[in-house]
Amino acid sequence: VLVTRMDDELAADYLRIASILREGGINTEVQLEGGKLGKQLKQCDKAGIPYAVVMGRDELARGTVQLKHLATGEQREVRLEELGGAVLAPAG
């Protein structure tokens, strides 16, 4: 999983998401530099990372993230506490 970086002010939140995933045994990287989401997703796909987590201020306020499956393009909103399970058992 790649945790994308949409807002530099949310850096600590992105690291917290990565920690949650790692604690669940999920190999996770965090995008260290911001930039356009499309470019981040392209790099993610090129690196063979199957999922990207996207979170902005709206998702943070709701306690959710967007989970995007790069191969299918499917994107869905997932509650933060359900994220690990959503990656391990994706909707079909």
Side-chain angles (χ1 to χ4, degrees):
V1 175
L2 174 72
V3 179
T4 61
R5 187 177 188 121
M6 302 297 299
D7 185 332
D8 288 342
E9 292 182 19
L10 301 180
D13 297 293
Y14 299 135
L15 293 174
R16 181 172 55 90
I17 291 168
S19 291
I20 290 168
L21 289 168
R22 289 175 182 143
E23 287 171 8
I26 298 168
N27 189 6
T28 305
E29 293 185 23
V30 178
Q31 182 70 34
L32 297 177
E33 296 179 11
K36 293 187 179 193
L37 179 60
K39 185 176 180 182
Q40 292 182 53
L41 295 177
K42 189 177 281 190
Q43 290 173 337
C44 181
D45 192 39
K46 188 175 181 180
I49 300 171
Y51 290 97
V53 170
V54 180
M55 183 187 74
R57 292 180 183 273
D58 291 342
E59 288 85 4
L60 178 64
R62 290 192 302 269
T64 64
V65 297
Q66 296 293 323
L67 179 63
K68 184 170 181 77
H69 186 263
L70 278 290
T72 65
E74 176 193 4
Q75 182 169 316
R76 60 192 170 114
E77 190 166 39
V78 177
R79 295 206 48 79
L80 192 54
E81 62 268 12
E82 299 169 355
L83 180 57
V87 170
L88 295 174

